[in-house]
Amino acid sequence: MSVSGSNSRALPWALVTPALAWTLLFFVLPFIAMGFSSLTAHEGGGFTLANYSQFFTDPSYWRSMVNSLEVTAIVTVISILLAYPFAWILAEMVPQRWQRLALMLAVLPFWTSYVVRSYSWLLVLAQNGVINRALTGMGLIAEPLQLANTRFATVTGFVHFFVMLLTLTIFANLKQLSPSYRRAAADLGAGPVRTFLHVVLPLTLPGIMVGAFLTFVLCIGDYITPQILGGNNELVMPQLVMMQIGRRGDFPLASALSIILMAVVTIAYLACARWLKIERA
Amino acid sequence: MTVNARNPLSTLKSHLAAACAVAALLLAAGGAEAADLNALIWCDHSDPALLEPFEKANDVKVNVKEFEGTGAGLAIVDQSQPGDWDVMVIDSIDVPRGVEKGLFEPLPEDKLPFADLFPEVKMDKSTIVDGKRYGITEKFGYNTIGFNKTKVDPADMQSLASLTSDKYKGKVAIYDYYLPVIGMAALAIGKKTADLTEADLPALKAELLKMKANAKLVGEVTASQTALATGEVDVLVGGGEWVTAGLAKENPALDFSIPKEGAVLWSQSLAMFKDSKNKDMALKFIQYIMSPEGQARLATSSCYWGMPANTKAALTDEQKKILRFDEQPGFLARAQAYPAPNADLDKKMQDMWTEMLQAQ
């Protein structure tokens, strides 16, 4: 069967049209609407840059972005440090026949409601929660530690979730890595540590970075965990956005803050893409 | 089984007939939905124990959508078609916002039990606009001090000054809603909530920062309740019967006080949409909610408890005791309404709240 030239050109477009339409309808158009909204005044409408200037001139608003970036950076680094050994153990040390079960256990946290999991952590970290009771029971501390309603609690909740996400992406990368690379390194006299540092780690960096980027995006945009575990003692950007909507319905300011948040995510993506040269992969 | 060979046209016709049947079914379902009652509500109205008696008695399905905060509720209405909603639960002080937007229908006063309501909670200044009543208060309570009486000195809880005292440092949670807590800060510094102006903001901010310095957390309803229930904190600024009453069975040590400086009265109203396609049923729903039976069920809703606006609510003696029903006249005499700032002051108050949250 022969395919005419015009048909062969049209077919790819026909195949991508649903995806393009979807993206246009549910991302591009809402994004443009949000952009316009961010440039209008809450009372009376009209063009204004006041929503953006408020963010850059009000220290408490600016502080929210700093808090978001700090929490996200801490969560991402800790998650990578915990996830890599997990993924390594899964890929290299767990027998093949048990790997499926191990992977299923790894994704179990995703089966629980995000809200329920956050409240569970709150009970674990509370003044008379599991940790404090254990520590005081063993006589290690005299007074309960302030664990809940802190940045520590927020980071703990996030890490619990994202470490498994990162484990899965790194695991997939490790499984794709041909054993011949390590054999070649060993043949050339490299020990296990040098092989890991100079061969395995560089080759699994894409997996780490993909996981890290996903962690960054999900963490910086999350409202639930900081709200429940952080005790509102330091606002992050999604909380600030929600505050504008709750009673006042200030969608223009909420839109401006969301656009700023999206700009930060875009910068993070560009940084990752450039470093890893993802666009050429 | 035999399969008849059919020509493409008859196949197409049969498919069309099937499509028409499906469309008819969908239209019928749409018609049924139009006969339902669509209610934009707070979580206390989604309790089946409240809705089911009304649904059975009137053979109607009440479709509910929950929202938090008037801004979010009005945004849902903005994004809906006229007629999509029949009734709405709204902060009594925000009824004029809906009226300004042309959303609400005046309520027939002669068909609702206004005479049975606690006089102080009718909120005429908010619910009556240009001589017409657009909302009826259905439930109320106080943003005040919730506490664990086994952990604090109940006598201390009779003064707002305790909230900023070193004695309770690190033992306090603040309810995360800026208007009532700013109202409590106003009471603490001797201001009337109705008279607040921009000039009061510095003093209010100083008071809020003192409260924050004592606080372990600032949390919404569930987080506040959890903190009090788990012993994470012993005092809740801005919490009242809606926090302690729901937990009373599990933890009878929880209580609330109306301090000598007063408390901030919250009240929620029911309003009917002007574009409702089902106004008769909407009115029946409001009548049911305002009836003694409906009021008792609403007051003790699983989401949160609160005082029924109707003095004749069919509560049991135990429920009345938990809600401290008999003490209401005294409480109401000391309560002040929510601050009702204009848009500009409202924005400044929210910014002040944001600063307080970020303060270390």
Side-chain angles (χ1 to χ4, degrees), chain B residues 20-292:
Chain B
C20 287
V22 170
L25 269 175
L26 286 174
L27 283 173
E33 272 177 17
D36 292 354
L37 191 76
N38 298 319
L40 208 48
I41 51 130
W42 295 359
C43 66
D44 53 344
H45 288 68
S46 61
D47 190 340
L50 172 69
L51 296 178
E52 277 176 9
F54 175 77
E55 290 180 324
K56 280 184 185 162
N58 294 282
D59 192 23
V60 67
K61 173 86 180 82
V62 181
N63 304 307
V64 297
K65 179 163 181 64
E66 290 180 30
F67 70 95
E68 282 182 31
T70 302
L74 294 178
I76 293 170
V77 178
D78 280 345
Q79 289 155 15
S80 308
Q81 293 294 319
D84 278 357
W85 302 105
D86 300 303
V87 293
M88 180 179 192
V89 179
I90 186 168
D91 257 323
S92 297
I93 58 157
D94 289 327
V95 170
R97 284 174 72 179
V99 177
E100 278 169 28
K101 285 175 168 278
L103 296 178
F104 298 147
E105 175 83 8
L107 297 176
E109 294 207 34
D110 57 330
K111 293 178 181 168
L112 292 164
F114 282 98
D116 296 335
L117 303 192
F118 287 95
E120 296 89 342
V121 302
K122 285 185 183 171
M123 308 284 287
D124 289 348
K125 280 186 184 169
S126 304
T127 55
I128 296 180
V129 180
D130 295 334
K132 293 176 183 167
R133 189 181 293 277
Y134 290 91
I136 180 166
T137 303
E138 52 166 14
K139 193 170 177 178
F140 71 96
Y142 312 93
N143 289 97
T144 180
I145 307 176
F147 59 92
N148 184 325
K149 58 191 172 196
T150 62
K151 302 277 185 66
V152 303
D153 181 352
D156 289 347
M157 299 297 114
Q158 301 307 315
S159 170
L160 290 172
S162 300
L163 303 178
T164 52
S165 130
D166 280 347
K167 188 175 176 185
Y168 294 107
K169 196 169 181 63
K171 298 183 183 305
V172 175
I174 300 175
Y175 173 49
D176 181 21
Y177 187 11
Y178 64 105
L179 277 182
V181 179
I182 287 173
M184 288 183 70
L187 296 176
I189 60 172
K191 298 274 181 186
K192 285 195 177 303
T193 55
D195 300 337
L196 294 179
T197 65
E198 194 173 339
D200 298 316
L201 294 183
L204 289 170
K205 184 177 164 183
E207 186 66 18
L208 286 176
L209 289 175
K210 280 197 274 180
M211 285 184 191
K212 175 71 189 294
N214 259 16
K216 191 176 260 185
L217 74 131
V218 184
E220 36 68 54
V221 177
T222 317
S224 306
Q225 274 188 329
T226 307
L228 207 53
T230 58
E232 188 72 10
V233 296
D234 302 327
V235 180
L236 175 57
V237 182
E241 71 298 312
W242 48 271
V243 171
T244 56
L247 298 170
K249 277 184 187 166
E250 291 82 15
N251 192 347
L254 299 183
D255 202 353
F256 71 95
S257 70
I258 306 289
K260 63 183 183 204
E261 297 91 340
V264 179
L265 178 76
W266 62 264
S267 100
Q268 60 190 63
S269 284
L270 269 170
M272 186 197 300
F273 281 96
K274 187 182 72 185
D275 295 319
S276 164
K277 294 170 187 164
N278 209 352
K279 285 181 183 163
D280 288 344
M281 191 58 74
L283 179 61
K284 275 188 183 176
F285 182 74
I286 297 173
Q287 285 171 327
Y288 162 71
I289 294 290
M290 297 310 301
S291 69

